[in-house]
Amino acid sequence: MQRLLFPPLKTLLGSQSVRLLVPRAAPRTQCGCSCGIRRPLRSGQYSTVSEVALQSGRETASLPSKAADRVVGRWLLVCSGTVAGAVILGGVTRLTESGLSMVDWHLIKEMKPPTSQEEWETEFQKYQQFPEFKILNHNMTLAEFKFIWYMEYSHRMWGRIVGLAYILPAAYFWRKGWLNRGMKGRVLALCALVCFQGLLGWYMVKSGLEEKPDSHDIPRVSQYRLAAHLGSALVLYCASLWTSLSLLLPQHKLPETRQLLWLRRFAHGTAGLVFLTALSGRILLIRDGLFSLHFQVESLA
Ligand code: HEM
């Protein structure tokens, strides 16, 4: 079992951490003198992780809180990287105006892209039923459709990978007891947020597929839902990165001076302004909004 357990642990923690000290239920240590008598460890004393606890016939790998924090911290760092990837892919989807090319959404079913000419034509025909094709893209060829479809497909598939990157390790760490009480709450919140992000994605797409007979606008997703989709992605990214770094970096030892307090307030204020700017940008300048704003100003002059 140790052979099975330690190679993956070594890869995750690094060989040094595997030699870290772990607390144990009632292990025994050598007496300080040469008598060889083994005494139980007092609380706060540690034995090496290679002496994995064998309790009631079941082997459980217990990690010291520091080593567990490091694993959880690295996992959340990877998760925030996957969210950053989704943000980039989402931006590409938006810039290439591909967001409304997939007109239905199943979480597990239909994950495989169309392969034959017939399947592609069926997919294209589905797209042709919706306002974006009818009003904006009626001259689109199948080859052009394939391009926008693949853009949106890669964003959605990446979204699934992000979901799995959060949920599977979270369940594993939870079972292993590597999350303390506070961390359990945070990890639950992050997993809920990633699910919410996916649901919001589909809710946003739906707004661009609806027929609006009285509207002369170019079919597009609701800018409020788009802003919410971007906002929750930013919150997910920052919360994952923040939690990860709070586990990986040592606590600062600077004295709590007034200057430090001001610096902290300034940093928080700047972050808040960046967030508001990103969201308001989505609400005001969606897709060709910049052009229409310019057009409206021109016509008023
Ligand atoms: C972890 C998962 C996801 C993250 C982090 C994420 C993030 C983003 C971001 C940051 C954007 C660009 C927003 C902008 O530039 O204003 C975007 C766009 C988009 N996302 Fe997601 N997304 C995720 C999952 C999904 C899912 C599951 C769907 C669909 C079911 C989806 C549908 C879309 C669409 C259609 C766009 C383009 C909107 C447009 O037409 O302008 N996203 N996403």
Side-chain angles (χ1 to χ4, degrees), residues 55-68:
Q55 283 166 0
S56 54
R58 201 178 117 224
E59 288 181 56
T60 51
S62 62
L63 279 181
S65 61
K66 266 194 176 171

Side-chain angles (χ1 to χ4, degrees), residues 39-40 44 66 77 99 115-116 121 158 166 168 171 198 203 208 223 257 266:
R39 285 199 313 241
K66 266 194 176 171
L77 197 61
T115 40
S116 63
E121 268 159 18
W158 190 257
Y166 274 87
L168 292 184
Y203 183 56
Q223 67 264 45
T257 57
F266 180 72

Side-chain angles (χ1 to χ4, degrees), residues 82-95 97-100 104-105 132 152 155-160 162-163 166 193-194 197-205 220-221 226-227 229-234 236 278 282 286-287:
T82 61
V83 176
V87 171
I88 293 169
L89 279 176
V92 173
T93 306
R94 218 172 102 67
L95 291 175
E97 302 188 0
S98 314
L100 299 175
D104 44 21
W105 191 48
E132 189 175 70
E152 173 63 357
H155 181 55
R156 289 193 193 188
M157 285 306 283
W158 190 257
R160 286 183 173 100
V162 176
Y166 274 87
L193 198 55
V194 84
Q197 179 72 31
L199 290 179
L200 209 52
W202 174 239
Y203 183 56
M204 173 178 74
V205 172
R220 58 165 78 106
V221 299
L226 177 67
H229 191 59
L230 174 68
S232 86
L234 294 179
L236 180 64
R282 290 310 173 274
I286 101 155
R287 216 120 79 178

Side-chain angles (χ1 to χ4, degrees), residues 11 23 35 56 81 98 113 143 154 178 201 223 227 251 278:
T11 344
C35 65
S56 54
S98 314
S154 53
W178 293 358
Q223 67 264 45
Q251 282 273 339

